[in-house]
Amino acid sequence: GENVEQHPSTLSVQEGDSAVIKCTYSDSASNYFPWYKQELGKRPQLIIDIRSNVGEKKDQRIAVTLNKTAKHFSLHITETQPEDSAVYFCAAYGGGSYIPTFGRGTSLIVHP
Amino acid sequence: GAVVSQHPSWVICKSGTSVKIECRSLDFQATTMFWYRQFPKQSLMLMATSNEGSKATYEQGVEKDKFLINHASLTLSTLTVTSAHPEDSSFYICRAAEGPYNEQFFGPGTRLTVL
């Protein structure tokens, strides 16, 4: 089955800095890669996603890049703000699967 | 996006009791529902997948007799934790979709604490 590795587990940055979270996956047939933001005690919320036919996608301060050859995808947050502090999860949907495999999560802390 | 609710949002119970958690899709018919468990500072772990009118499919290591899932209608799925113990304390989140390959929506989660 699919295996997703996420790094780092904790990321601490100063307000205004950029933050990058990386995930690797094992199934070369995986074709959909969403990213979720989860605040303490709340449900995960989809913040951005990318499909395997696209290399990069951007939405304001958030971007995701995908390298299919290397089987890794990354979340980029620019101009971080304290409200960006949360746990971020990557996920990958294997080819033909409707059940995602989640990464272990990255706790992002943005210091004012 | 579609709305999924869970009830209760939190529950505290004594060891040995059973707890039922409800997951409802409010503005769409959820043919498929997923139940996840999330321990503190850990990722989402899929417990089971249920399709309306069928028996749930449990992930390896999840005891089906302990975690009873009922998906009797297109808008309601329930998870019953039977004879709960402190190690069952966790955040339980449902996820619903019109079909297995449709967009999936998380419920707000239920915090279970077993004393």
Side-chain angles (χ1 to χ4, degrees):
Chain A
E2 176 70 279
N3 182 46
V4 176
E5 299 283 340
Q6 183 172 347
H7 298 280
S9 56
T10 305
L11 180 58
S12 184
V13 300
Q14 288 295 128
E15 182 177 2
D17 288 350
S18 294
V20 180
I21 303 170
K22 298 181 179 180
C23 287
T24 61
Y25 60 98
S26 60
D27 185 355
S28 57
S30 290
N31 53 21
Y32 178 57
F33 309 91
W35 284 90
Y36 297 89
K37 175 183 179 182
Q38 186 180 28
E39 297 177 348
L40 188 63
K42 296 188 177 180
R43 78 185 88 193
Q45 291 192 315
L46 178 69
I47 56 171
I48 198 167
D49 56 11
I50 193 167
R51 297 194 180 273
S52 58
N53 59 346
V54 176
E56 183 175 357
K57 185 176 178 180
K58 190 173 181 180
D59 183 3
Q60 299 183 339
R61 296 187 297 109
I62 296 173
V64 57
T65 59
L66 171 66
N67 184 325
K68 286 172 57 180
T69 302
K71 290 188 283 188
H72 67 70
F73 56 112
S74 300
L75 177 70
H76 304 254
I77 306 175
T78 58
E79 301 172 35
T80 54
Q81 301 166 3
E83 50 266 39
D84 294 330
S85 298
V87 178
Y88 292 80
F89 292 97
C90 64
Y93 283 72
S97 174
Y98 56 83
I99 298 175
T101 299
F102 288 92
R104 295 177 64 85
T106 296
S107 177
L108 174 64
I109 303 167
V110 181
H111 299 281
Chain B
V3 180
V4 177
S5 70
Q6 269 184 252
H7 178 80
S9 56
W10 60 269
V11 56
I12 301 173
C13 69
K14 293 182 179 180
S15 185
T17 60
S18 294
V19 175
K20 180 185 283 189
I21 302 169
E22 294 184 348
C23 176
R24 294 182 184 273
S25 57
L26 300 184
D27 54 0
F28 68 100
Q29 294 186 325
T31 302
T32 305
M33 285 197 177
F34 308 88
W35 285 96
Y36 288 86
R37 178 169 55 183
Q38 186 178 33
F39 292 111
K41 298 187 178 182
Q42 293 192 23
S43 190
L44 296 147
M45 299 303 298
L46 180 65
M47 299 175 67
T49 303
S50 73
N51 291 295
E52 187 265 339
S54 303
K55 288 185 178 180
T57 300
Y58 289 81
E59 295 299 300
Q60 192 173 9
V62 178
E63 300 174 56
K64 62 179 181 181
D65 294 330
K66 180 170 180 63
F67 299 99
L68 303 178
I69 292 173
N70 183 289
H71 190 173
S73 81
L74 287 172
T75 58
L76 174 65
S77 176
T78 60
L79 167 67
T80 301
V81 183
T82 61
S83 187
H85 292 283
E87 56 266 31
D88 297 323
S89 298
S90 187
F91 192 51
Y92 292 86
I93 310 176
C94 68
R95 199 174 192 196
E98 285 185 309
Y101 293 96
N102 292 79
E103 187 175 359
Q104 301 165 5
F105 302 95
F106 282 107
T110 297
R111 172 74 59 191
L112 170 64
T113 303
V114 185
L115 302 176

